[in-house]
Every structure is written in structure tokens, then in C-alpha cells.
Amino acid sequence: MSWSTARRRARTPRHDGDSAAHRWPAVCVLALIVASEYKFRLRANDESVSGSPDVFIVLEIAAYAVVAAYLFFRFRPTSRIRRADWLTCSAYAYAAVLVLSALYSPYRELALVRACQVVVVLALTRSIARHCPREAPHRVAHWFAVLVSGSVVFGVVVPFPRLPTQPDRFTWLHLHPVDAGQFLAIAVVLLSAYVLGHELPRPGPRWPMPVYLLLLGICAAGLVGSNTRGAALGAIVGVLAIAWTRWRGRRRIEVAAALSVGIVLAWLALGQQIESFFARGESAERLASLNSRTDLWAYAFDAFTERPLYGYGLTASQGMFLEEIGLGGGHNGLVNLLVDTGLLGAAVWLFLLGGIIVRAVRLRDVRPEPRMDRMIVLALIAGLIANSMFTEGLGAPSNVACVWLFLLAAWAGMAGRTQDEAPAENATTDRTETR
């Protein structure tokens, strides 16, 4: 055996009997999400764009640095160029646009930090796709659901002071209810998929049905308590996508009819409560303006027409809207990208979203069909897109939606493998050793 072959074998992680190979994707993904999103203190909105760090910002950056160092020393990138498919290339292109836009952002310090975080997220999800078996995304999804459920329980047991403008909306720590709703919507879609598809064949952990139902009940209750309309819409769209892809033919028609009857009965029984949930006690004027979002989007369109091609730079919308209207961010994924990265960034982002959907739809032609993976990827991307109509998470860096966007791109590619097929890195090493 040659020295180069021995080095390649040493760099390739084992999957059989190596428990760390099963744990590290979930640990790294959850570490980045917690470091980016979980707020352990209240901070003024203008402090986030000023570039003035505190101890929690330092800890957030340190968490990303630790994950980056772990990936580097575990997988040690080589100079050998690998062939990438078009979906992987679109993920690289989107990350590249965000990084380049940070160079001309008016909030340079914040933008460069966010750009580096995007690179780490991309490296993590590509490492999962290259080095992990098909069960890895399912393991991440399970422990993400546990994290969110545990956060809901923590928020009930240890309630933190609520924001003055959000006194009746549930959250945990100092997380904004909109951000908490985004977590909860993703968890509800994931758990609904594992409940409705519990009998479908799939790799990864398979917990008892009562466990899934308990976690789903906790997350659904938290979502209702957060009173986040966009997140609720995203969860509904995601669950409907699950129901549509779970069954086929005559069974799908039966399920559609049962859902229609259930929706009508729910509206007759709980119509007033449903209206109160979405109205949230606001005036007709505020509802017509989507809680001042239409005013913000009008300002965003004027700003976009001044720099339509490349935008103002990463995180620019956060500071610009805060100064002009008092609302940080575009409150819409596409609007946020049009202001930050212009038509170039928006086009690459839309191509990535469309690529994930196309790749997931084509999984129907894989044999044996990974129906569970197909169902989850389509449902999650549909729910995230629906929620992105009212919050910028999917079109912004360093948040839970951004992490799941890159993870879904990796998941859609991994699902095309057969259940017993080794990751690409292992297959390459095995062929080299055979020669």
C-alpha cells in the first residue's frame, strides 16, 4: 500500500462502529444554530449593526471557529478538484454572492462576520454530504426537534421578561417571537413527517410513535403560543405538502377530501379563535399594511431601484430599514436579498430554491425510492418559502432558516444514494485501494 493511499485512508472517517461519525453532524449543526439564534441578553437594535461586540458575540464567533477547526482537522481539504453537480454549484454560488457582497457593505464589520459564518455553514453541510451516510440528516432533524421541544419546556418553566411590544406572545430566553416561531414551524413540519411517515422505510433513528406525538404536541402548542402568523402559515403549508407527497393515486384523493372536511369543521368550531390568532387584536389599518410591512417594502423597492444589480451589500437592509422605519431587516426573504445583493443575489437564491425542489421531485425516479427524504425536503422547503413572505430569515445569513437551506441542498443530494451506498469519499478510497 502506497504512502498516498495510507494518507487517504487515514483522512477518511469510518462509519461502522464509529459513534463519533454519527454524532458530529447533529452536534455541529445545533451548535451553530444555538450560537446564532439563542439570545441570552437584550440588546438594542442599533447595537447589532454598529459592530460593537460583547461577550455573547465573542462566544458566537468562537462556536463557528470551533466547528470550522473541527472540519479542517477531521477532513483536511486537499488540492484535488472534485466534480460537483449543479445543485452543489448553486449552493456555492449563493454563498459566494453573500461573501462578495460583504466587501462593499456599509456595515463592514458585521457583514464580514456574517460572510464567514455562511462559509462555515456551507463547509459543514458539504462535509455532511460528502462524508456521512444517508441517516445523518435524519439524525440532525431528530435532535433539532428535541432542542426545540426542550426550549419550549424551558420557556414555560423559566419565563424570561417579554419584550414590551410582545407581552402576550410565547418565546424562550430573549428570542423574538418571530424567530421562535420559525424554530417551531420547522420542528412541527419535521415531526409531522415522522408521524405520518412512521411506517415508511428510511435510515436513521426511529423513535416510538408516542415520542413523536409528544414532541409534536409540545412544538405545536409553542407555535400557537408564539402567535407568529407567518410561521403558522409555513407550518400549515409544510404539513399540507407532507400529506400531498405521503400518499398517491386514489389514496391522495381520499386524504384531500378528509382534510377539506376537517378544515371546514375546524373553522365552524374554532372560527372565532382562528380569526383572533391571525388578527392579534390589531386594527384594520395595520392588518391592511401587514403590520407596517407594506410601508417597509415600498421603501425597499425605492432603495432597490437605485442599485438594482449588486445591491448595497450584506446586512445593509438591517441598518437602512432600522434608520428609516425603525424595523430591522426586509421582513421578506426576497426583498431582503434584493436590497443586500441586488438582482444577482436574488437570482442565485431563487435558482438554489428551485434546484432543491427539482432535485427532491426527481427522487421519485430513484430505486428504491427515498420517499421519506423526498417528503421532508419538499415539505420543509415549501414551509420555509411560505414563512419567508413575512420574515427575512431564508434570505439572510446566520440564522436557523439559512442553516436549513444549505442542509436541505445537501439532503436532497444525499437522498439520491441507495441505502447501502457508501459516501463518495469512501467509494473513491475503495476504488483506489482495489487498483
Side-chain angles (χ1 to χ4, degrees):
M1 182 174 59
S2 65
W3 172 249
S4 59
T5 302
R7 288 184 64 191
R8 279 193 296 270
R9 178 181 292 181
R11 288 178 182 175
T12 304
R14 297 189 309 271
H15 297 285
D16 296 331
D18 183 7
S19 59
H22 298 284
R23 288 197 303 262
W24 72 264
V27 171
C28 290
V29 169
L30 296 187
L32 297 188
I33 290 175
V34 171
S36 299
E37 292 278 54
Y38 278 45
K39 310 302 181 186
F40 299 93
R41 84 293 191 212
L42 284 174
R43 204 169 185 227
N45 289 333
D46 54 354
E47 291 183 6
S48 61
V49 296
S50 65
S52 56
D54 60 11
V55 63
F56 293 103
I57 297 297
V58 173
L59 290 175
E60 177 184 350
I61 296 173
Y64 275 83
V66 169
V67 171
Y70 173 82
L71 295 175
F72 180 83
F73 288 109
R74 182 178 177 88
F75 301 111
R76 294 185 185 179
T78 64
S79 58
R80 181 167 58 91
I81 298 177
R82 301 179 180 90
R83 181 182 297 177
D85 60 16
W86 59 274
L87 180 57
T88 301
C89 290
S90 65
Y92 277 107
Y94 177 56
V97 168
L98 294 182
V99 171
L100 292 174
S101 67
L103 300 178
Y104 54 88
S105 172
Y107 308 98
R108 184 74 57 83
E109 294 83 0
L110 175 63
L112 289 176
V113 170
R114 296 297 184 233
C116 292
Q117 290 175 330
V118 169
V119 172
V120 175
V121 171
L122 175 64
L124 173 58
T125 54
R126 295 319 308 162
S127 297
I128 293 173
R130 289 172 181 167
H131 301 284
C132 292
R134 275 187 51 209
E135 70 179 48
H138 289 282
R139 195 173 297 275
V140 173
H142 278 72
W143 290 108
F144 177 83
V146 171
L147 171 68
V148 178
S149 302
S151 300
V152 173
V153 174
F154 178 83
V156 173
V157 176
V158 188
F160 275 54
R162 306 283 176 85
L163 295 173
T165 56
Q166 316 285 352
D168 300 325
R169 298 176 64 182
F170 172 77
T171 186
W172 56 87
L173 300 176
H174 291 295
L175 209 62
H176 194 283
V178 171
D179 298 326
Q182 190 161 238
F183 273 88
L184 292 161
I186 295 172
V188 165
V189 173
L190 286 171
L191 291 167
S192 298
Y194 288 118
V195 168
L196 294 177
H198 193 261
E199 297 180 355
L200 292 178
R202 59 176 172 82
R206 186 181 295 273
W207 296 345
M209 178 65 80
V211 175
Y212 290 118
L213 292 174
L214 175 62
L215 297 179
L216 177 59
I218 292 173
C219 292
L223 180 59
V224 173
S226 71
N227 209 354
T228 305
R229 293 169 289 201
L233 175 63
I236 292 171
V237 170
V239 173
L240 291 177
I242 291 169
W244 182 255
T245 54
R246 170 64 178 86
W247 293 281
R248 292 176 182 168
R250 180 178 177 181
R251 183 63 172 166
R252 179 182 289 177
I253 297 175
E254 294 173 353
V255 171
L259 283 175
S260 301
V261 173
I263 291 172
V264 171
L265 292 177
W267 181 261
L268 293 175
L270 303 171
Q272 186 174 358
Q273 289 84 347
I274 295 173
E275 289 181 2
S276 299
F277 176 85
F278 284 98
R280 230 160 50 192
E282 295 174 349
S283 64
E285 182 179 357
R286 285 187 64 83
L287 291 174
S289 66
L290 298 178
N291 206 2
S292 301
R293 282 177 172 83
T294 53
D295 298 332
L296 185 148
W297 294 339
Y299 172 72
F301 180 77
D302 293 338
F304 162 71
T305 55
E306 296 179 5
R307 292 190 182 181
L309 190 56
Y310 301 113
Y312 292 82
L314 191 64
T315 71
S317 58
Q318 186 174 351
M320 292 170 55
F321 297 155
L322 192 62
E323 294 173 0
E324 286 292 328
I325 303 178
L327 295 173
H331 286 262
N332 178 284
L334 182 59
V335 169
N336 206 75
L337 278 169
L338 286 173
V339 174
D340 283 356
T341 61
L343 288 172
L344 178 62
V348 174
W349 180 72
L350 290 172
F351 186 82
L352 176 58
L353 294 177
I356 294 172
I357 295 173
V358 170
R359 176 62 62 83
V361 170
R362 288 181 177 177
L363 291 176
R364 186 171 182 176
D365 300 328
V366 176
R367 292 294 179 267
E369 181 190 356
R371 186 183 296 187
M372 191 70 182
D373 302 76
R374 177 175 178 266
M375 184 170 67
I376 292 177
V377 172
L378 284 174
L380 269 184
I381 198 65
L384 287 171
I385 292 174
N387 190 23
S388 72
M389 296 171 60
F390 304 100
T391 183
E392 69 274 7
L394 194 61
S398 185
N399 64 82
V400 64
C402 177
V403 173
W404 273 102
L405 174 62
F406 284 103
L407 184 59
L408 288 176
W411 196 339
M414 296 172 69
R417 304 174 189 162
T418 59
Q419 189 164 349
D420 298 327
E421 185 179 352
E425 291 297 308
N426 284 357
T428 302
T429 303
D430 293 341
R431 287 194 299 269
T432 304
E433 292 174 354
T434 301
R435 293 173 187 169

